[in-house]
Amino acid sequence: MSAPDRPAHLDRCDDAGRAWVERSIALVEADARRSADTHLLVYPLPPEWGVQLYLKDESTHPTGSLKHRLARSLFLHALCSGWIREGGTVVEASSGSTAVSEAYFARMLGLPFVAVMPSSTSREKIALIEFHGGRCHLVTDPGTVYDEARRIAAETGGHYLDQFTHAERATDWRGNNNIAESVFEQLAAEQNPVPEWVVVGAGTGGTSATIGRYLRYRRLPTRLAVVDPEGSAFFPGWRDGDPTATGRPSRIEGIGRPRVEPSFVPTIVDRMFCVPDAASLAAVRHLEQVMGRRAGGSTGTNLWGAFQLVAEMVAAGRTGSVVTLLCDGGERYAHTYYSDDWIAAQGMDLAPHTATLRRFAVSGDWSHPRAV
């Protein structure tokens, strides 16, 4: 058809499709209203230090991790963008926890779900995805998860959620009960309600983007510290100002990536720590001893950075508070992070880092093995 013959008007209204989207959004929003806000736990520090450390316990979400917030935001973003349709397959590239939460929402909406994940993903996470009705597609090379997810979405006529691109824009960073707003509301009656630091890891970069933007939007003096596992691309990329930096797949599931993901916003990060994997795992075991709570490895990475900041405040005689996240529960890692055999097979020695943590707990002193 020549240009003059092309119709000047085209109607693509889809009343049935629009009605399904509206029902789906209502279901996802109802899930948010049913879920009480997650707890803000006090980590026990000597009161004479004058510093408080808080853990935002994201393990209490219906799917057991911080990623429940992200999955809900990604589904709402995709539904409102017209990308997910009734009966369509939803696909994600994930290291596990995001896929667990996305499988939950996909089943809620009656949609098939496929998680493309590294074959090293913990078997507990695989079982959880399958429990929620998802299918796991495992790949040997973690760097191929993106292209494999795109391929499956194209072949099935479905939608690739692509958390690594959309995480930073799917969540309303100005408020709307995002994690940052929740933390500051819960701190309102505390001794030091405006923390000196918030400490988070980076997997997609979505959480750090949400918190960093919120701090600036609310004109708060709180600074943002991001912790990164050894070998990940985020830290060297941020240090060198190089978004093309590369690394290796992370042993700390949920954070650390072999590339700097599109959702990572480096310009709102005030400080970064590169944390040895052995230190992360020593820290989660220390958490269990102190609070009786088992958490995943990324919580240990958070704590390692938070403890260093607390120690700096104590050494400088500054009072105040620090906030970090308890990202998920340790039951997902019984055969890895809480297995001495697995740790030995990985060639990790937790002892020097455990000694650092014990010394810190007693004196507030932070002298530790050389960072990776």
Side-chain angles (χ1 to χ4, degrees), residues 181-204:
E181 184 177 65
S182 174
V183 164
F184 278 88
E185 287 180 354
Q186 290 173 314
L187 285 171
E190 297 297 308
Q191 182 179 351
N192 293 289
V194 179
E196 185 159 328
W197 290 96
V198 176
V199 182
V200 300
T204 61

Side-chain angles (χ1 to χ4, degrees), residues 117 119 121-131 136 138:
M117 303 184 299
S119 55
T121 302
S122 72
R123 58 193 183 190
E124 291 88 355
K125 284 185 180 178
I126 293 171
L128 282 170
I129 293 165
E130 293 174 344
F131 172 79
C136 299
L138 304 180

Side-chain angles (χ1 to χ4, degrees), residues 278-279 281-282 304 343 348-359 369:
L281 302 190
W304 191 261
I343 287 175
M348 287 190 280
D349 180 11
L350 275 54
H353 306 286
T354 300
T356 295
L357 294 166
R358 289 174 178 167
R359 186 165 51 250

Side-chain angles (χ1 to χ4, degrees), residues 70-71 73-75 77-79 81-85 88-95 98-99 102 106 111-118 137 139 142-167 169-170 203-204 257 259 261-263:
L70 173 59
S73 294
L74 288 168
F75 266 86
H77 183 246
L79 286 165
S81 298
W83 298 336
I84 295 179
R85 300 182 179 183
T89 299
V90 178
V91 185
E92 184 62 286
S94 173
S95 63
T98 304
E102 289 171 339
L111 303 173
F113 177 74
V114 181
V116 181
M117 303 184 299
H137 180 87
V139 297
T144 65
V145 293
Y146 317 96
D147 290 341
E148 191 67 4
R150 289 188 189 93
R151 181 189 66 78
I152 293 172
E155 289 183 356
T156 60
H159 174 62
Y160 170 32
L161 283 169
D162 193 3
Q163 60 170 321
F164 298 107
T165 296
H166 296 121
R169 66 198 70 170
T204 61
R257 300 297 302 168
R259 71 177 192 183
E261 299 295 349
S263 270

Side-chain angles (χ1 to χ4, degrees), residues 60 128 198 219-220 227 249 259 296 330:
T60 58
L128 282 170
V198 176
R219 300 181 297 282
L220 295 163
V227 289
R259 71 177 192 183

